[in-house]
Amino acid sequence: MATSDLKLLGTWACPYVNRAQLALKVKSIEYEFVEDIPYKKSEMLLKYNPVHKKIPVLIHSDKPVCESLVIVQYVDDAWATGPSILPSDPYDRALARFWVAYIDDKWYPLVKVLREAEGEEERRELVQKVSEGLVLLEDAFVRCSKGKDFFGGDSIGYLDIVLGSCLGWLRVTEIVVEVALLDRTKTPRLAEWADRFSSDDAVKDVLPETEKLLELHRKIQDFLKAA
Amino acid sequence: MATSDLKLLGTWACPYVNRAQLALKVKSIEYEFVEDIPYKKSEMLLKYNPVHKKIPVLIHSDKPVCESLVIVQYVDDAWATGPSILPSDPYDRALARFWVAYIDDKWYPLVKVLREAEGEEERRELVQKVSEGLVLLEDAFVRCSKGKDFFGGDSIGYLDIVLGSCLGWLRVTEIVVEVALLDRTKTPRLAEWADRFSSDDAVKDVLPETEKLLELHRKIQDFLKAA
């Protein structure tokens, strides 16, 4: 695979871009990372993702693949090398897809709203909801991992990549609202999984450091207040 | 396949349920349809979909599969019989997934809002947006079908099922707002596809009649006004 044949358009701090990076890393696929400046739609972005004008975009032999979940599944489908990202059993695959949809449609949007929330009451309610979601995901971990290290079993799979990509911003949110969301008492297995995932060789070079994300978060907040 | 082994929990007028029905029909899989009364969460629904408490739920050997897109993909994965629902080529599969996400996340929600919209200005804007979406989907049809009858090529595929399931309520919306949304001048190929899809043997017994949906829509509106 010539590097020039495969480009990923994105930025380091975006969890959706991190998913694409993680999928490519798990599969040991080389690619060129093209840093896209956030909030400024580049010509390349407008050309390759005219519908949503959003990163990430994976460009394979000049053909674009857009949307993080579509990219992760495409990487799994298109390269036979490395471990499978999606489970091989149809029911396990359905379970993984169900929880991935739960994370993207229900749970992670709440984390984002919580990070920006200002009212005490609103924060309390959101902390409650995010924590309840993590309890559901703890249960999902038990059912999907079947006693193994990852949602995907012995190796990092679809659900690991999708939930794992949210961990950096979840930690930033914990610092901002001063609450331990991924609680070691309420969700011990998920907390252990998060440690294991974050220190995995395929992950540690991709997932941004919490400190760097926190710095970015504060810069954005300052910018918004000044505007 | 014993019918008792496979149940679909749903109601006839729900496009998301229709997707599951269409997938099972395309694959010629027999199942028991368990009519679930809308707006009243049955014990069976609460047991099998405790997270979302929503139809459709496919119950296979007592194991639930929830969420329409997850069900359609599960049906394709779990039964080798009949034609494939997802395209076999990885890039074609990515394209189908991209447009399916576009329909569910962007386009179809607008159709629903339009149907309920009361202000003239709001309606005009929504008609514009829904129509622009259909122009994008016309383009997607040309690219995905490659000159054949369906998005999936020679036979009904993933994108056909997902967009096709929205056709009944799209037609109701056209009647309610008195505008031809699926315009034969602006989107001739998509309009032809819609005719072809709706009259297909696998579809015509599943897709609800527009008249029946319209009657239901009016009943719901009367109920809401009286409440």
Side-chain angles (χ1 to χ4, degrees), chain A residues 9-227:
Chain A
L9 191 57
T11 187
W12 64 275
C14 171
Y16 303 103
V17 174
N18 297 154
R19 291 173 181 182
Q21 292 174 290
L22 287 168
L24 291 160
K25 186 86 182 180
V26 162
K27 289 278 199 178
S28 306
I29 299 162
E30 288 191 24
Y31 63 98
E32 184 189 340
F33 189 77
V34 182
E35 184 80 28
D36 192 78
I37 301 162
Y39 308 110
K40 195 179 161 182
K41 310 290 182 192
S42 68
E43 265 184 50
M44 201 167 165
L45 184 66
L46 298 175
K47 175 182 171 188
Y48 287 108
N49 190 0
V51 174
H52 301 300
K53 305 172 184 70
K54 275 186 181 170
I55 51 170
V57 182
L58 184 72
I59 306 159
H60 189 192
S61 306
D62 208 42
K63 293 197 290 185
V65 183
C66 305
E67 301 273 71
S68 70
L69 301 181
V70 179
I71 293 173
V72 173
Q73 290 176 92
Y74 175 73
V75 168
D76 199 31
D77 286 341
W79 283 275
T81 56
S84 283
I85 293 173
L86 273 283
S88 56
D89 174 77
Y91 192 75
D92 291 343
R93 203 142 65 227
L95 264 191
R97 288 194 171 117
F98 173 84
W99 287 109
V100 159
Y102 172 77
I103 291 164
D104 271 19
D105 300 342
K106 303 282 174 189
W107 181 77
Y108 191 60
L110 293 175
V111 177
K112 287 200 263 191
V113 178
L114 170 58
R115 202 162 52 237
E116 317 284 329
E118 293 196 345
E120 203 50 48
E121 183 64 25
E122 189 193 1
R123 271 197 180 186
R124 205 173 8 245
E125 276 176 27
L126 285 162
V127 165
Q128 173 77 10
K129 284 183 185 168
V130 169
S131 303
E132 283 167 6
L134 287 167
V135 171
L136 290 177
L137 290 165
E138 164 101 355
D139 186 49
F141 178 74
V142 172
R143 291 171 65 200
C144 294
S145 66
K146 299 171 186 170
K148 294 186 173 174
D149 281 356
F150 297 104
F151 282 95
D154 288 321
S155 60
I156 287 172
Y158 192 39
L159 201 35
D160 297 286
I161 288 173
V162 171
L163 184 58
S165 69
C166 305
L167 287 176
W169 284 106
L170 181 69
R171 289 180 189 126
V172 168
T173 310
E174 290 183 313
I175 296 168
V176 169
V177 301
E178 298 175 350
V179 172
L181 297 163
L182 192 49
D183 188 298
R184 289 188 186 273
T185 323
K186 285 187 208 153
T187 53
R189 287 170 190 185
L190 203 62
E192 277 169 30
W193 163 82
D195 293 342
R196 200 181 300 123
F197 178 82
S198 304
S199 59
D200 189 276
D201 279 343
V203 174
K204 59 188 181 193
D205 297 337
V206 172
L207 268 204
E209 289 165 32
T210 307
E211 276 307 305
K212 277 184 73 182
L213 290 177
L214 184 63
E215 199 186 313
L216 178 65
H217 170 76
R218 288 186 172 142
K219 268 188 195 164
I220 295 171
Q221 292 308 102
D222 288 348
F223 175 82
L224 291 175
K225 272 178 198 154

Side-chain angles (χ1 to χ4, degrees), chain B:
Chain B
M1 165 69 50
T3 299
S4 61
D5 197 37
L6 191 65
K7 291 184 173 73
L8 178 64
L9 191 57
T11 188
W12 65 274
C14 171
Y16 303 102
V17 174
N18 297 153
R19 292 173 181 184
Q21 293 173 290
L22 287 167
L24 290 159
K25 186 87 182 178
V26 163
K27 289 278 198 175
S28 306
I29 299 163
E30 288 190 23
Y31 63 97
E32 183 189 339
F33 189 77
V34 181
E35 184 80 28
D36 191 78
I37 301 162
Y39 307 111
K40 196 178 160 182
K41 310 291 181 191
S42 69
E43 265 183 51
M44 200 167 164
L45 183 65
L46 298 176
K47 175 183 170 186
Y48 286 107
N49 190 0
V51 174
H52 301 301
K53 305 172 184 70
K54 276 187 181 170
I55 50 168
V57 182
L58 183 72
I59 305 161
H60 188 192
S61 305
D62 208 42
K63 292 196 292 184
V65 182
C66 306
E67 301 273 73
S68 70
L69 301 181
V70 179
I71 293 173
V72 173
Q73 291 176 91
Y74 175 74
V75 167
D76 200 32
D77 285 341
W79 283 275
T81 55
S84 283
I85 294 173
L86 273 285
S88 57
D89 175 76
Y91 192 77
D92 291 342
R93 202 140 68 226
L95 263 190
R97 288 196 170 115
F98 173 84
W99 287 110
V100 160
Y102 172 78
I103 290 164
D104 271 19
D105 301 342
K106 304 281 174 191
W107 180 77
Y108 190 61
L110 293 175
V111 177
K112 287 200 264 191
V113 178
L114 170 58
R115 200 160 56 238
E116 315 286 328
E118 294 196 345
E120 203 49 50
E121 182 63 25
E122 189 192 2
R123 271 197 181 185
R124 204 174 5 246
E125 276 176 26
L126 284 162
V127 164
Q128 174 76 11
K129 283 182 185 169
V130 169
S131 303
E132 283 167 6
L134 287 167
V135 171
L136 290 178
L137 289 165
E138 164 101 352
D139 186 49
F141 178 75
V142 173
R143 292 171 66 200
C144 293
S145 66
K146 298 170 185 169
K148 297 189 170 171
D149 280 356
F150 298 103
F151 283 95
D154 288 319
S155 60
I156 287 173
Y158 192 38
L159 202 35
D160 296 286
I161 288 174
V162 171
L163 184 60
S165 69
C166 306
L167 286 175
W169 284 106
L170 181 69
R171 289 180 188 125
V172 169
T173 310
E174 290 183 314
I175 295 168
V176 170
V177 302
E178 296 173 352
V179 173
L181 296 163
L182 191 51
D183 188 297
R184 289 186 188 275
T185 324
K186 285 186 206 153
T187 53
R189 288 172 189 184
L190 203 62
E192 278 169 29
W193 162 83
D195 293 342
R196 200 179 303 124
F197 177 83
S198 305
S199 59
D200 190 275
D201 280 341
V203 173
K204 60 188 181 194
D205 296 336
V206 172
L207 267 203
E209 287 165 31
T210 308
E211 276 308 306
K212 277 186 72 184
L213 290 177
L214 184 63
E215 200 186 314
L216 178 66
H217 169 77
R218 287 184 173 145
K219 268 188 196 165
I220 295 171
Q221 291 308 105
D222 289 348
F223 175 81
L224 291 175
K225 270 176 198 154

